[in-house]
Amino acid sequence: MNSPYCGKFKVSQGFRPPSNPSHDGIDLVGIDSKEIHSCANAEVIHVGWENAANHKQGFGYYVATKDDVAGKDGVKKIRYYGHLTENSARVKVGDKVKITDVLGMEGYTGYVLPDGPGGAHCHYEIRSAFYKGAKVYDVCAEAGIPNVQDGIYDDGYRPGLVGPVKPIDKKTIKAIIEIDDHKYSGLLEEL
């Protein structure tokens, strides 16, 4: 699985669902992190608004990259990461990025439902070229992300870790603390 998130994420709208067959990407919501990561070694070809005059249109503030290596069909795919938080990009046009490099932060710019923070997500889409009307690839098949509404998945990647993610047994203890003649109690969870 190769998602724009590190760790857990949720599918909030699938690729071309029956209710919206023109939805050419997949909408994802980060659970463990809101950082959006590159899904390929690529060159950044766009950073900014889909429509600078109307920030509520389309992808809103987005980053697009062009793969360094052509796929089986001979095409260097264009990857769109839409609805990012305004000015959150950590890259600029012309930058070379590696898979997992941070591109920006999940947001709710452009056309999102519901409007506002409750609609925050990343629209992830793959096309054959950098224009509307270009061939659209099935992003779920390309990335290995199941096309299941409300599905929660974990791509297993954690920055700085090598190998599979191992579960961590965290301990929880009840604590009583006294400060200035006042007692406080509660549960503490190991970080």
Side-chain angles (χ1 to χ4, degrees):
M1 182 177 301
N2 183 6
S3 82
Y5 293 93
C6 288
K8 291 181 186 170
F9 62 92
K10 177 181 175 180
V11 175
S12 61
Q13 184 173 30
F15 174 76
R16 294 186 175 166
S19 61
N20 187 3
S22 64
H23 190 246
D24 289 337
I26 188 168
D27 292 347
L28 306 171
V29 177
I31 295 171
D32 290 339
S33 172
K34 301 301 182 181
E35 289 182 331
I36 304 303
H37 298 258
S38 177
C39 291
N41 294 333
E43 179 178 351
V44 177
I45 60 170
H46 177 88
V47 175
W49 296 98
E50 180 169 341
N51 182 345
N54 180 359
H55 292 185
K56 290 292 184 186
Q57 183 178 358
F59 294 146
Y61 188 79
Y62 75 102
V63 171
T65 63
K66 182 176 184 176
D67 289 2
D68 287 345
V69 177
K72 293 177 186 175
D73 60 358
V75 173
K76 291 184 177 182
K77 297 176 177 86
I78 308 299
R79 297 173 190 267
Y80 294 79
Y81 306 87
H83 307 302
L84 303 183
T85 297
E86 182 175 359
N87 298 323
S88 70
R90 297 193 190 163
V91 293
K92 62 185 181 312
V93 172
D95 282 355
K96 289 290 201 174
V97 294
K98 293 185 173 111
I99 191 167
T100 71
D101 282 353
V102 177
L103 302 174
M105 298 296 289
E106 174 186 289
Y108 51 92
T109 60
Y111 182 73
V112 297
L113 294 174
D115 190 22
H121 68 278
C122 175
H123 175 88
Y124 179 41
E125 184 171 320
I126 305 173
R127 296 184 192 165
S128 62
F130 187 58
Y131 63 88
K132 287 188 178 185
K135 175 185 174 183
V136 174
Y137 291 89
D138 179 342
V139 69
C140 295
E142 292 280 328
I145 299 170
N147 195 13
V148 178
Q149 181 82 21
D150 296 324
I152 295 176
Y153 305 98
D154 188 332
D155 69 4
Y157 176 77
R158 301 293 187 281
L161 290 183
V162 178
V165 175
K166 295 178 182 165
I168 298 172
D169 291 327
K170 293 184 178 182
K171 294 181 182 177
T172 302
I173 62 168
K174 182 174 182 178
I176 300 174
I177 302 170
E178 188 172 333
I179 301 173
D180 297 329
D181 296 326
H182 297 280
K183 287 188 177 183
Y184 303 89
S185 70
L187 297 177
L188 297 175
E189 184 179 270
E190 181 180 11
L191 300 176

